[in-house]
Amino acid sequence: MPNHSPGNRLHYPRTLKLSATENGGTSGGPENPKAALEYTRKSAEAGYPTGQFNLYVYYSNGAIIEKNETEALVWLKKAAEQNFFAALFRLAELNRDGLIDGSSPAVAEELFSRCMNLAGSDSHLQNAAALQYAWLLSRSSENIARLTRAAVVPQRCYEDEGGAGDIAKACADISIGLVGRIRDLIRAHKGTAEEIVVAEFHVRYMFENDGKPVLSRSAGLDAYSRELGKAVVAKARLSPQLYQEYLMKTLNPELSKTLALGTVGVAARRVKVGRNEKCICGSGRKSKLCCGR
């Protein structure tokens, strides 16, 4: 970890500034990439994640220093250990694409999940990570629970992006395919009774008939409530969580007894959700960054 003692407190910003100055020649003199590299190395060795990630870039592209993928990965992992967004995202990509020893989709999922839950990060970057996370989940073509979770993520992103821009378009594209697959599994009864009802709930109120995400979850929930009858509108507005339990009881009467005991399904999860815990909607995000905002 960085040394924040008084003697080192200014080391990180000073070395970064010197690195940028030397690299761009903004001090009035010529560019000096080697000096920039040296300042970057000092910052990295002092334990600062930006310097560590920049040193990864130097070793990875081999433009200023001899290319060394092994050394590059060491510095990338050091930066990722400190939750530096760019490092986490790049490490996730390497695991996703199988470009490093021991890589796996499961590790990539975990890293993209960390990216999309990283407080203080740019929301567009978080949504880009969320899309990658959803894509990895979507590869479980016959697992309705994972597909439902995958579909929830791009709907959240689509809403965050206001339905406009490249990220929103990518959200809509992945959602249309996912929702179609989920509907096929619902019709074929592929999954447990609880998984099918949860999938039905999310697909009906979070997506249009063509599979495109709704722009407002609350509006979608109200519209679905009207379909099933005015008697449940108040419950739906009160809590999507309670409404989901209602659907399980009405669409799957066999589960009513166990739901009443609070032993299975949504009712068993009806506990206070901490702000830093995963949101109950299934998006994979922390509650404070999702429905708990």
Side-chain angles (χ1 to χ4, degrees):
M1 294 295 290
N3 181 353
H4 292 296
S5 64
N8 286 291
R9 194 169 291 150
L10 297 176
H11 177 73
Y12 174 48
R14 185 171 69 241
T15 52
L16 275 187
K17 185 175 181 179
L18 286 169
S19 173
T21 297
E22 295 289 358
N23 196 40
T26 55
S27 62
E31 295 181 11
N32 192 337
K34 289 186 177 180
L37 168 62
E38 201 52 41
Y39 286 124
T40 298
R41 186 187 300 281
K42 287 180 180 179
S43 177
E45 291 173 347
Y48 293 97
T50 304
Q52 292 170 342
F53 179 75
N54 288 344
L55 194 54
Y56 153 74
V57 174
Y58 274 114
Y59 276 115
S60 183
N61 64 31
I64 308 302
I65 192 173
E66 184 178 352
K67 188 171 183 177
N68 187 326
E69 294 289 356
T70 300
E71 191 69 12
L73 188 59
V74 167
W75 290 108
L76 181 65
K77 288 182 175 179
K78 285 180 181 291
E81 286 170 3
Q82 298 193 62
N83 285 328
F84 188 68
F85 188 96
L88 282 172
F89 197 97
R90 181 56 182 154
L91 194 57
E93 288 180 318
L94 293 174
N95 275 277
R96 178 199 64 194
D97 299 337
L99 297 178
I100 55 177
D101 291 340
S103 60
S104 74
V107 173
E109 271 184 37
E110 190 271 332
L111 291 169
F112 280 127
S113 177
R114 284 169 62 186
C115 285
M116 69 190 220
N117 284 300
L118 202 56
S121 300
D122 181 274
S123 62
H124 296 295
L125 295 177
Q126 286 181 311
N127 287 338
L131 277 177
Q132 293 295 325
Y133 176 73
W135 179 81
L136 286 167
L137 286 177
S138 72
R139 296 172 70 183
S140 301
S141 59
E142 293 300 316
N143 188 319
I144 193 170
R146 281 175 63 86
L147 286 177
T148 302
R149 188 177 177 188
V152 168
V153 174
Q155 190 284 325
R156 292 283 194 260
C157 297
Y158 185 82
E159 190 170 343
D160 286 346
E161 296 290 326
D166 291 339
I167 293 178
K169 183 179 184 304
C171 291
D173 289 342
I174 192 173
S175 294
I176 291 170
L178 278 170
V179 170
R181 289 162 63 192
I182 292 169
R183 286 172 175 158
D184 287 342
L185 292 174
I186 291 172
R187 284 191 288 267
H189 300 288
K190 294 287 185 68
T192 66
E194 179 190 353
E195 288 172 344
I196 290 172
V197 172
V198 170
E200 170 75 8
F201 171 73
H202 284 95
V203 165
R204 292 292 296 276
Y205 99 91
M206 284 188 167
F207 302 93
E208 307 284 0
N209 289 336
D210 61 0
K212 184 178 178 181
V214 297
L215 194 54
S216 168
R217 278 165 280 162
S218 59
L221 187 59
D222 283 349
Y224 187 24
S225 300
R226 288 192 293 272
E227 280 186 37
L228 294 184
K230 294 181 180 180
V232 298
V233 171
K235 181 178 288 258
R237 285 177 174 160
L238 175 66
S239 167
Q241 183 179 341
L242 292 175
Y243 189 50
Q244 186 167 330
E245 181 182 335
Y246 163 82
L247 289 179
M248 292 184 69
K249 286 181 178 179
T250 55
L251 300 182
N252 287 269
E254 296 176 3
L255 293 177
S256 296
K257 188 174 181 180
T258 48
L259 279 170
L261 297 174
T263 55
V264 301
V266 177
R269 296 196 294 276
R270 283 188 57 194
V271 296
K272 182 175 176 61
V273 179
R275 284 174 55 75
N276 287 313
E277 294 178 20
K278 293 292 179 68
C279 185
I280 196 167
C281 76
S283 69
R285 288 186 168 181
K286 291 180 180 179
S287 177
K288 66 183 181 183
L289 298 174
C290 198
C291 296
R293 286 185 292 187

